Amino acid sequence: MVTARRRLVWLVALLAYGPVAGHGSVAGAAEADGFVPIFNGTSLDGWEGKGEFWSVADGAIVGQTTAEKPTKGNTFLIWRQGTLDDFELRLRYRLTGGNSGIQYRSKDLGDSVVGGYQGDIEAGTNYSGILYEERGRGILAERGQRVTIAADGTKKTESIGSKEELQKVIKQGDWNDYRIVAQGAKLSHFINDTLMSETIDEQTDKRATEGILALQLHAGPPMKVEFKDIHLKRTRLADGRKKIVLVAGRASHGPGEHEFRAGTRLLEKCLDASGQRLVTVTHTDGWPTDPTAFDNADAILFFADGGGGHPVLQSNHLGQIDALAKRGVGVACLHYAVEVPKEKGGPEFLNWMGGYFEPHWSVNPHWTLAATELAKDHPITRGVKPFTTNDEWYYHMRFKEPADGLVPILSAVPPDATRERPDGPHSNNPVVRAGKGSREVLAWAYDRPGGGRGFGCTGAHFHRNWADDDFRRLMLNALVWTAGLDVPLDGVPSTVSADDLAAHLDDKAPRK
Amino acid sequence: MPRLTVEGVGTFTVPEGKRLVNALEDECAIDQLHACGGIARCTTCRVTFTAGEPARMTKAERDVLAAKGLAGTPGLRLSCQITCDGDLTVQATSRLAGSGRTDAGRRSADAVEPPPDWT
């Protein structure tokens, strides 16, 4: 009875390929004002630098050189939990001698050396508050300047105050508040709530829109710098760009199977090269350690082992993603990550994505697609031709009822032999067994009634299938759509090489 | 900290007292040549000052500039014989790119070599 009703719903959906609803607004933060502490006040957990220079004392990160222990070149303490794109950072600093700074959207050059944008800090009176590009273009904006850098590198400068007067706001040798606001091309530095410099960096071949956060200890005379109360708020990306956070689960299965890290890295590489207006961030090895990882995401992909061990079921993650989904953040799950227990995660997955693998209802045979059908006139299938990959194509998903907003994206007819296995939580059940010859939905899109999008796909057990241009395009289109971007008329373009496919594979012992 | 401006490249802050040849490489990311390793033998580390040219010169610099027929060229100095003690502005004209060389030369020591003997 339930099956008949569900099939009727899907028949209607297959005929209609429902309309695409608007994408909801994205926000999301762990605290009321959106700021999250990224230094715990007691240890350097999550930070990495040369141990001889960095320590924690009295609730502050301390960087120090002495006459006996100088640093030959500038050295940095790098925040290792995430990268920055658009954000607001607040911290307190105290400088005793020398020069320091806050690197953001920067590059790790190895051996604790960093290059990129720096909010400068100085014991003298020349450089505090300026924008300096370490290992790059040098001074971009002096204190008291708003500088617009054109695409060709030419600068237009206007005054926002007197360099000397602004210096008086800074308490030499005492604690000061530093705030950096980076929103698209606009980079603003505040000390003690006073704007010190502002830069609009439109030099596209040299500017950075994302990169690491680090703290500087400058070469030269002995110095000591302290940082505390370091709080980060991620902000929605400027200029209509969207952000996709890809989460890869920990290694499982044999070589070439459930290659979560390699698969997400491959998708990230393709998306980054696709020319779409988006930023991608990939977290491998399970749930991100960055407490702000999802705060300005427009879409999140989970490619991980599911069931009771699904990353979203651990700790307080279910509530965290549920809150984001309610704010319109897209959620996509791939292969095993579409499975959660009916009692824990099932209701949420129905709300986020409109469907999921329900044990004792859904099944997981390996088979080769036959009679493949793709949704007509849906953005996710643009440029995609029917394909016939062999995969562990789960089917007979549990879908939301009524199915308003659900669109079957990919369907096929499984071989009847896949319905003849013994009953079990993943292998077969009476409803599946009775459905011989039926068409099954293998990937679907969901427009939530309250805003936001979801997508699920049951394939991608085998890493080799990423070489299939149509399967890959379907997934790239789906991610772009889930994030709320327009999908190009011919689909998201991508090419992958043998080297690309071999990159980032988990280190797994060959099966005996 | 002094400011080092490389014309056409940018303005950089450099540790006071740092050898100019090393500051050009480290702070300014210039592919500055220094074929002899910064010991005042080859003159490939030469730069042209447009502002802030130091008044004093090492005897080693004086002698090698004279030997190579470069003495008296306005603003032309050896970056390996100069430390950043004030704000400087230079043109970096002797660079690895386009030189045909395979590398810029051995890294110069932190201190001026040979030990400065001022003219």
Side-chain angles (χ1 to χ4, degrees):
Chain A
M1 188 67 179
V2 173
T3 301
R5 181 183 169 196
R6 186 177 67 82
R7 291 218 162 95
L8 178 62
V9 167
W10 279 103
L11 178 61
V12 172
L14 279 161
L15 290 170
Y17 289 120
V20 179
H23 189 57
S25 63
V26 177
E31 297 182 355
D33 62 359
F35 283 90
V36 177
I38 57 172
F39 163 56
N40 63 19
T42 59
S43 75
L44 292 178
D45 288 352
W47 297 78
E48 183 180 271
K50 293 188 173 177
E52 63 266 41
F53 298 120
W54 298 97
S55 61
V56 175
D58 299 327
I61 292 174
V62 180
Q64 187 163 18
T65 60
T66 61
E68 299 76 30
K69 195 176 61 180
T71 176
K72 190 170 181 180
N74 298 341
T75 191
F76 298 81
L77 183 73
I78 301 171
W79 185 54
R80 285 299 189 197
Q81 294 188 305
T83 55
L84 300 182
D85 34 69
D86 286 7
F87 68 93
E88 185 170 344
L89 180 78
R90 291 177 173 171
L91 57 76
R92 304 190 75 206
Y93 77 90
R94 180 167 64 183
L95 183 64
T96 308
N99 181 287
S100 180
I102 305 157
Q103 295 288 148
Y104 59 95
R105 293 188 186 169
S106 291
K107 291 181 179 174
D108 181 354
L109 303 176
D111 195 31
S112 298
V113 177
V114 168
Y117 294 137
Q118 180 191 116
D120 215 332
I121 300 170
E122 190 206 13
T125 59
N126 288 315
Y127 303 122
S128 291
I130 73 167
L131 173 61
Y132 187 78
E133 191 177 63
E134 180 87 0
R135 301 265 173 162
R137 291 169 288 174
I139 295 174
L140 298 181
E142 303 273 10
R143 187 172 60 245
Q145 288 183 341
R146 177 180 289 115
V147 177
T148 301
I149 308 173
D152 64 359
T154 55
K155 292 181 180 177
K156 177 184 164 193
T157 301
E158 58 184 303
S159 175
I160 57 170
S162 157
K163 175 182 175 181
E164 292 73 24
E165 289 300 312
L166 289 169
Q167 174 68 33
K168 292 176 183 174
V169 171
I170 303 167
K171 294 172 272 188
Q172 296 287 71
D174 202 351
W175 289 100
N176 293 278
D177 296 326
Y178 212 118
R179 181 158 63 99
I180 296 173
V181 182
Q183 195 67 24
K186 187 177 177 182
L187 314 167
S188 309
H189 296 175
F190 300 82
I191 298 179
N192 298 330
D193 291 326
T194 301
L195 181 62
M196 293 283 150
S197 70
E198 194 159 79
T199 309
I200 295 92
D201 190 359
E202 302 283 6
Q203 193 173 3
T204 48
D205 63 332
K206 294 200 171 172
R207 73 178 181 184
T209 55
E210 56 183 316
I212 62 172
L213 169 69
L215 306 174
Q216 186 195 49
L217 191 56
H218 210 286
M223 61 164 286
K224 178 181 178 182
V225 63
E226 299 160 274
F227 297 96
K228 66 179 182 181
D229 302 333
I230 308 173
H231 289 73
L232 173 66
K233 179 169 80 173
R234 296 184 181 276
T235 52
R236 190 168 190 188
L237 299 189
D239 310 322
R241 293 169 301 144
K242 302 290 184 182
K243 179 173 178 177
I244 302 175
V245 178
L246 304 99
V247 178
R250 293 178 177 155
S252 73
H253 290 59
E257 303 170 25
H258 289 211
E259 294 285 0
F260 304 131
R261 180 175 62 176
T264 50
R265 287 290 187 201
L266 190 77
L267 290 169
E268 179 184 44
K269 186 174 190 291
C270 292
L271 288 169
D272 288 348
S274 69
Q276 305 306 299
R277 292 180 60 76
L278 54 81
V279 168
T280 61
V281 176
T282 294
H283 295 273
T284 58
D285 202 30
W287 195 261
T289 57
D290 173 6
T292 68
F294 303 122
D295 284 355
N296 63 347
D298 292 286
I300 305 167
L301 169 72
F302 293 102
F303 186 26
D305 279 351
H310 199 300
V312 303
L313 299 187
Q314 316 310 310
S315 187
N316 63 346
H317 302 164
L318 196 61
Q320 188 178 346
I321 299 301
D322 196 49
L324 291 167
K326 284 174 177 164
R327 293 178 183 132
V329 177
V331 177
C333 287
L334 186 54
H335 195 50
Y336 197 177
V338 302
E339 182 189 330
V340 286
K342 181 179 181 180
E343 300 76 19
K344 185 180 181 183
E348 287 81 3
F349 270 48
L350 288 177
N351 290 333
W352 303 345
M353 303 194 303
Y356 73 106
F357 183 114
E358 180 186 298
H360 295 287
W361 176 258
S362 310
V363 292
N364 67 348
H366 287 230
W367 52 290
T368 300
L369 294 182
T372 308
E373 287 187 7
L374 296 162
K376 295 179 178 63
D377 301 326
H378 193 282
I380 292 179
T381 58
R382 287 176 183 166
V384 182
K385 299 184 294 293
F387 50 95
T388 55
T389 53
N390 178 279
D391 207 312
E392 187 182 24
W393 288 109
Y394 310 155
Y395 65 82
H396 200 245
M397 298 295 104
R398 175 67 74 185
F399 288 108
K400 195 173 182 67
E401 296 183 30
D404 297 344
L406 267 168
V407 178
I409 295 296
L410 169 70
S411 66
V413 179
D416 287 346
T418 64
R419 301 178 188 270
E420 294 170 354
R421 300 192 297 171
D423 284 0
H426 297 86
S427 56
N428 206 354
N429 57 66
V431 182
V432 167
R433 190 163 40 252
K436 289 182 178 176
S438 298
R439 174 164 296 278
E440 298 283 355
V441 175
L442 311 173
W444 63 96
Y446 182 51
D447 267 306
R448 300 179 203 132
R453 294 169 173 174
F455 174 80
C457 177
T458 71
H461 177 86
F462 294 113
H463 186 66
R464 62 173 182 256
N465 285 335
W466 293 116
D468 187 286
D469 290 340
D470 291 296
F471 173 63
R472 194 175 65 253
R473 184 173 292 118
L474 184 84
M475 277 308 304
L476 295 171
N477 289 353
L479 289 172
V480 167
W481 178 83
T482 305
L485 281 174
D486 289 334
V487 177
L489 291 178
D490 295 326
V492 177
S494 73
T495 56
V496 297
S497 66
D499 287 345
D500 292 332
L501 288 165
H504 306 296
L505 294 170
D506 287 321
D507 184 16
K508 298 171 177 174
R511 277 185 171 168
K512 295 179 180 176
Chain B
M1 288 191 301
R3 292 169 187 244
L4 170 57
T5 299
V6 182
E7 291 189 359
V9 178
T11 299
F12 305 86
T13 55
V14 297
E16 188 159 358
K18 185 164 183 169
R19 288 182 88 179
L20 176 56
V21 64
N22 289 340
L24 287 168
E25 280 198 319
D26 296 346
E27 273 72 26
C28 311
I30 297 291
D31 54 341
Q32 176 65 50
L33 289 174
H34 42 78
C36 71
I39 57 174
R41 291 278 178 82
C42 69
T43 75
T44 60
C45 72
R46 62 184 177 271
V47 295
T48 301
F49 277 86
T50 56
E53 181 180 352
R56 64 181 185 173
M57 180 182 283
T58 66
K59 289 179 179 175
E61 181 179 8
R62 178 197 64 190
D63 293 346
V64 72
L65 287 176
K68 302 280 185 179
L70 297 170
T73 307
L76 191 145
R77 299 291 299 270
L78 299 187
S79 63
C80 76
Q81 298 298 299
I82 291 168
T83 53
C84 298
D85 300 320
D87 293 349
L88 313 171
T89 301
V90 300
Q91 296 169 338
T93 53
S94 179
R95 300 169 68 159
L96 177 62
S99 70
R101 296 172 185 265
T102 55
D103 61 60
R106 179 174 58 85
R107 167 79 180 182
S108 302
D110 291 343
V112 172
E113 295 182 313
D117 184 7
W118 302 106
T119 56

